Amino acid sequence: MTLNFQDLVTRIYNEIPRNPKTALKWAEEGLTLTNRKSDGPMMAKLILCRAHALRECGRYEEAVRDYDTAKKILISHKEAIEAWRTAIGKIDALNQLGRYEEALRTAEKALQFFSRNRLPIWLAKTHANMGNVYHNLGKYPLALKHYRIGYSTLHKERPLDGYVLLFNQASIHLCEGKPEQALDLLDRCRTYFEEQKLSSFLGRTYYNV
């Protein structure tokens, strides 16, 4: 493996939405090398990468354990912002496991930290995942509220995340019996996902259309 560790982390993050199994393999390889070097913060970042890949592969219990491990290591190295970033993925994993109350408690604590430290991207991502929890709980107005708050920041800074939130808003409109509003958003999503060759997101978009 010729990449340095920071380049590897970037590469893994870019691969997760396209092929999470490949991303998981790269994270495991990186962790093997990092173990030999005893680099705590870099190990934590690769564990975080592995957690994201595990989550995308549907291995949620393992992902939650990795999120907690990464946070513990990062806090021990006084990297508070990186430590709290783990909460974003953990919220989603807990949501997928049906542990909704724990997910919302984690989200509220993360919102306080990101707001206090003026970190709008991570604040927006937390709102997005809170929207997912409320969506699963059938609390559609609350879900839509959090999706829109997240979208207001993410569509400018993180286009993929922004389009995912448009897709989620479309899903809410479908649940509420508003197909015209849903189709408008899904058409916008479909164009972007086709351009970016994101087959997983594109498949879900065609299904909802």
Side-chain angles (χ1 to χ4, degrees):
M1 192 174 294
T2 58
L3 295 175
N4 66 43
F5 284 123
Q6 190 54 54
D7 287 343
L8 176 61
V9 167
T10 300
R11 185 182 179 193
I12 293 169
Y13 271 111
N14 290 337
E15 188 67 14
I16 287 171
R18 292 173 170 81
N19 193 332
K21 290 183 179 179
T22 299
L24 180 58
K25 177 185 175 184
W26 291 345
E28 294 283 7
E29 290 173 355
L31 282 165
T32 299
L33 294 176
T34 309
N35 278 330
R36 296 173 189 164
K37 293 178 178 290
S38 300
D39 186 333
M42 185 52 67
M43 181 183 293
K45 290 172 185 177
L46 284 169
I47 291 172
L48 182 56
C49 285
R50 185 173 68 182
H52 293 326
L54 285 167
R55 192 187 78 233
E56 288 298 314
C57 290
R59 295 163 61 177
Y60 304 118
E61 292 281 5
E62 294 169 83
V64 169
R65 287 196 292 271
D66 266 1
Y67 285 126
D68 287 340
T69 299
K71 183 177 181 181
K72 186 181 296 185
I73 295 171
L74 289 164
I75 287 175
S76 73
H77 285 82
K78 297 181 170 33
E79 295 199 21
I81 291 174
E82 291 293 325
W84 275 99
R85 281 181 58 191
T86 66
I88 295 168
K90 182 180 178 181
I91 294 162
D92 184 62
L94 290 169
N95 183 36
Q96 297 296 336
L97 289 166
R99 291 158 62 177
Y100 303 127
E101 291 185 7
E102 187 178 351
L104 290 173
R105 286 197 302 271
T106 302
E108 289 293 348
K109 291 177 182 177
L111 285 180
Q112 292 173 16
F113 178 86
F114 294 136
S115 179
R116 185 167 63 249
N117 289 277
R118 299 181 181 180
L119 297 166
I121 294 294
W122 308 117
L123 193 63
K125 282 177 169 286
T126 304
H127 278 293
N129 281 0
M130 289 182 79
N132 292 338
V133 177
Y134 284 121
H135 191 169
N136 280 357
L137 287 168
K139 297 182 178 181
Y140 301 134
L142 278 174
L144 199 57
K145 172 189 172 183
H146 285 285
Y147 287 151
R148 286 172 173 165
I149 292 172
Y151 177 79
S152 67
T153 296
L154 292 176
H155 84 282
K156 296 176 285 189
E157 304 292 338
R158 302 287 178 90
L160 173 57
D161 292 335
Y163 276 100
V164 169
L165 286 183
L166 279 187
F167 175 89
N168 291 348
Q169 289 179 53
S171 297
I172 293 293
H173 291 319
L174 285 173
C175 291
E176 293 183 324
K178 301 174 181 176
E180 294 85 0
Q181 291 174 259
L183 279 172
D184 177 60
L185 297 181
L186 290 170
D187 282 340
R188 291 163 62 186
C189 293
R190 179 170 52 190
T191 299
Y192 178 80
F193 295 150
E194 284 176 344
E195 289 172 351
Q196 299 298 313
K197 297 181 172 57
L198 297 170
S199 58
S200 176
F201 292 115
L202 188 58
R204 282 180 271 174
T205 301
Y206 274 113
Y207 176 83
N208 275 11
V209 169

